[in-house]
Amino acid sequence: MNRPDILSSGEPEIDAITAQCFVRFEEAFGTRGFAWDVQAQIMSLGKAVEIGKGQSATIFSDEDSLVFLAEGACKLVAWAALDRAQVLSFHFAGDLVSVPARAEHEYGLIALTPSQILSFPTRRFLQAVNEESKLLVELHRRTDAALAECRNDSVGLGRKTAQERVARLLMQMAGRIGVASDNEVLIELPMSRGDIADSLGLTIETVSRQFGELRDAGLIETGGRSGVRVLDPEALLQRAGPTGPHA
Amino acid sequence: MNRPDILSSGEPEIDAITAQCFVRFEEAFGTRGFAWDVQAQIMSLGKAVEIGKGQSATIFSDEDSLVFLAEGACKLVAWAALDRAQVLSFHFAGDLVSVPARAEHEYGLIALTPSQILSFPTRRFLQAVNEESKLLVELHRRTDAALAECRNDSVGLGRKTAQERVARLLMQMAGRIGVASDNEVLIELPMSRGDIADSLGLTIETVSRQFGELRDAGLIETGGRSGVRVLDPEALLQRAGPTGPHA
DNA sequence: CGTGGGTTTGAGTAAGGTCAAAGTTAGTGG
DNA sequence: CCACTAACTTTGACCTTACTCAAACCCACG
């Protein structure tokens, strides 16, 4: 997919993807009111691209990146080894994802559905917005929320049974991308069983068996590969296990 | 070890713990150069306390807190249930810990050794330092690092064997609090086998057995409950498992 | 309609959990 | 300073859960 220069002589030509990504970004972070030069810096740092299903979104290979997901759904993956992937999180439109260049493991942000993303090199981005403390506070808020989320997931990975993990993921997805209709929730899962397994620290087979058990128990119905109808959210939440030390 | 008041006479009396905590905090975050009123606000928001082994450090019960660990060692714990604790991280002097008031699980910061901590209510702290973008950037940097760390741990929880988990933890502790001496590292573990088990998603017995295996293999020696001598760091790192997809 | 990747199901296995008991360690008080 | 004790740790036997390997199945795509 070719992209025309986003900066060019005369009036800057901007392609549709770039334009749309920045509009969404401005909406999410309220950068519209920023000083002119800060806005210009942000625009020159951000690279907008469209990526197809299964494609990786790593842009800045030797630098930490900050990726804004304008449209679509992605998974953040770390590899413990070539054959041991761990899905760290699923992301949807509006999310800001912090992607390390390379830490103890190699990371990748991979599209589950065709997605539009806007990538910034973290360090230079922070320098650019250095004086816009509102954005810094929002950035901290989101990172802190991601940390809290990651910690919640840690509890799941360390201390929950296969069924509790699957039930919890379904409830999370119900809340994130589910469509409610009188005490039922319809979910269209953008990720495969393999992705779910990799995110829960299980195998494909175990995930499948848990789907089966939940179906046999009458808590969910499945339609095709990606359709899930939660028939009894209450009971499903029960199976996700306890959520605190309250008794 | 006593320190005189850092605010001159006529001002409110400040106890030794508070004084020492703030001195350490200033050193770590360079708040010395801040505007007078910002410094005053920070000081009025921070509660310094000394907590003994096993004591919990939760100060602001219904608000997210930001806890600076001035001295000692602590564990951050979440409870999946009364009998299912997950240790999310271990912390040492100089660390800043983000403690949610209450999310999906209940959290607690608990002292492993007598510790001095300085707690801030996150929201009001952010308001106070709103204009000091250097501190905001540093805050973001630390939170982002904690997130990266949490994600690395997720890989461990989801995709590593018991032995890999234990070996990795020992290497982490070697790097964090170990004392090196010609190709050996001495570690004085501040946490119990139970804490280690809870942080790795294992049982006490399994952790103990892995210590045994590593000892039998000649990679480590143990002395008493807390002493560990890493005889062969190379080999121990090997047992921690692969660290990326590089073949 | 095929075809191939994803999914489900089944049988056997292994890693780690559970239960129980013995052995240490590091305080505590005499 | 030593004996005592309670908590922590180690070890052993057995069991459960989830993994592995394998085959059948079924969507979704061309």
Side-chain angles (χ1 to χ4, degrees):
Chain A
M1 298 307 162
N2 271 335
R3 226 168 10 95
D5 291 344
I6 57 171
L7 291 179
S8 67
S9 52
E11 287 303 307
E13 284 274 329
I14 290 186
D15 68 87
I17 305 299
T18 301
Q20 188 158 341
C21 281
F22 271 106
V23 167
R24 298 264 166 91
F25 182 78
E26 279 170 5
E27 283 167 10
F29 292 91
T31 59
R32 188 65 65 86
F34 284 13
W36 176 85
D37 63 317
V38 173
Q39 287 199 51
Q41 272 192 283
I42 290 176
M43 290 205 67
S44 74
L45 285 173
K47 307 293 175 214
V49 285
E50 188 154 38
I51 52 178
K53 190 170 175 171
Q55 275 190 284
S56 173
T58 304
I59 302 296
F60 307 101
S61 51
D62 53 349
E63 219 175 327
D64 292 348
S65 341
L66 218 43
V67 180
F68 177 69
L69 180 52
E71 186 64 56
C74 292
K75 59 178 175 181
L76 179 64
V77 187
W79 283 273
L82 271 173
D83 58 340
R84 289 199 286 179
Q86 175 70 39
V87 172
L88 297 161
S89 50
F90 295 112
H91 294 282
F92 304 97
D95 286 1
L96 187 71
V97 193
S98 172
V99 185
R102 174 78 96 86
E104 196 171 314
H105 307 100
E106 187 156 320
Y107 288 87
L109 187 66
I110 296 174
L112 298 167
T113 65
S115 301
Q116 293 173 12
I117 62 164
L118 186 55
S119 306
F120 300 95
T122 305
R123 205 171 39 81
R124 279 178 284 162
F125 181 84
L126 282 173
Q127 282 169 4
V129 301
N130 190 34
E131 294 307 320
E132 299 288 351
S133 51
K134 253 192 193 155
L135 182 50
L136 285 176
V137 169
E138 173 65 11
L139 208 55
H140 174 265
R141 198 191 60 72
R142 285 190 180 232
T143 309
D144 212 34
L147 178 57
E149 185 63 29
C150 185
R151 284 171 171 168
N152 273 334
D153 291 345
S154 290
V155 178
L157 288 172
R159 289 281 174 256
K160 280 180 182 287
T161 65
Q163 181 147 137
E164 288 172 334
R165 298 182 202 199
V166 171
R168 177 167 175 269
L169 180 116
L170 285 175
M171 287 310 293
Q172 281 183 329
M173 287 304 138
R176 198 84 175 73
I177 53 171
V179 179
S181 73
D182 67 333
N183 208 36
E184 288 188 358
V185 187
L186 296 169
I187 318 174
E188 197 68 21
L189 295 173
M191 72 290 284
S192 69
R193 298 285 185 277
D195 291 328
I196 294 174
D198 284 345
S199 83
L200 300 178
L202 301 170
T203 59
I204 293 178
E205 295 94 323
T206 299
V207 170
S208 181
R209 277 185 253 271
Q210 295 309 327
F211 268 79
E213 277 193 32
L214 293 174
R215 191 174 340 101
D216 294 347
L219 303 190
I220 63 170
E221 270 175 13
T222 53
R225 267 163 199 174
S226 59
V228 175
R229 175 198 294 253
V230 180
L231 301 171
D232 193 340
E234 297 280 309
L236 190 57
L237 200 57
Q238 282 289 322
R239 301 232 179 179
T243 54
H246 357 292
Chain B
M1 293 299 154
N2 268 340
R3 202 178 276 276
D5 291 345
I6 59 171
L7 289 182
S8 59
S9 53
E11 295 297 323
E13 285 276 327
I14 290 187
D15 66 88
I17 305 298
T18 300
Q20 187 158 339
C21 281
F22 271 105
V23 168
R24 298 265 166 91
F25 182 78
E26 279 170 6
E27 283 167 11
F29 292 89
T31 59
R32 189 65 65 87
F34 284 13
W36 176 85
D37 63 316
V38 173
Q39 287 199 53
Q41 271 192 282
I42 290 177
M43 290 205 67
S44 74
L45 284 173
K47 305 292 175 217
V49 285
E50 189 154 37
I51 52 178
K53 191 170 174 171
Q55 275 190 284
S56 174
T58 305
I59 301 296
F60 307 102
S61 51
D62 53 350
E63 218 175 328
D64 292 349
S65 341
L66 217 44
V67 180
F68 177 69
L69 179 52
E71 185 65 57
C74 292
K75 58 178 174 181
L76 179 64
V77 187
W79 284 272
L82 270 173
D83 57 340
R84 288 200 286 178
Q86 175 70 37
V87 171
L88 297 161
S89 50
F90 295 112
H91 293 282
F92 303 98
D95 287 0
L96 187 71
V97 193
S98 172
V99 185
R102 174 78 97 85
E104 195 171 316
H105 306 100
E106 187 156 320
Y107 289 87
L109 187 67
I110 296 175
L112 297 168
T113 64
S115 301
Q116 293 174 11
I117 62 163
L118 184 56
S119 305
F120 299 96
T122 305
R123 206 172 39 81
R124 276 178 284 163
F125 181 84
L126 281 173
Q127 281 169 5
V129 302
N130 189 35
E131 293 308 321
E132 300 287 351
S133 51
K134 253 193 193 154
L135 181 51
L136 286 175
V137 170
E138 172 66 11
L139 209 56
H140 173 265
R141 198 191 61 72
R142 285 188 181 233
T143 309
D144 212 33
L147 178 57
E149 184 64 31
C150 185
R151 284 172 170 167
N152 274 333
D153 290 345
S154 291
V155 177
L157 288 172
R159 290 279 175 254
K160 280 180 183 288
T161 65
Q163 182 147 134
E164 288 172 334
R165 298 183 202 197
V166 171
R168 177 167 176 269
L169 180 117
L170 285 174
M171 286 311 292
Q172 282 182 329
M173 287 304 138
R176 198 83 176 74
I177 54 171
V179 179
S181 73
D182 67 333
N183 208 37
E184 287 189 358
V185 186
L186 296 169
I187 316 174
E188 197 69 20
L189 295 173
M191 73 290 285
S192 69
R193 298 285 184 277
D195 290 328
I196 294 174
D198 284 344
S199 82
L200 301 177
L202 300 170
T203 58
I204 292 178
E205 294 93 325
T206 298
V207 170
S208 182
R209 278 185 253 269
Q210 295 308 327
F211 268 80
E213 277 194 33
L214 294 174
R215 192 175 338 102
D216 294 347
L219 303 191
I220 63 170
E221 270 175 14
T222 54
R225 270 165 197 172
S226 59
V228 176
R229 174 199 294 254
V230 180
L231 301 172
D232 192 341
E234 296 281 309
L236 190 57
L237 200 57
Q238 281 290 321
R239 301 232 179 180
T243 54
H246 355 292

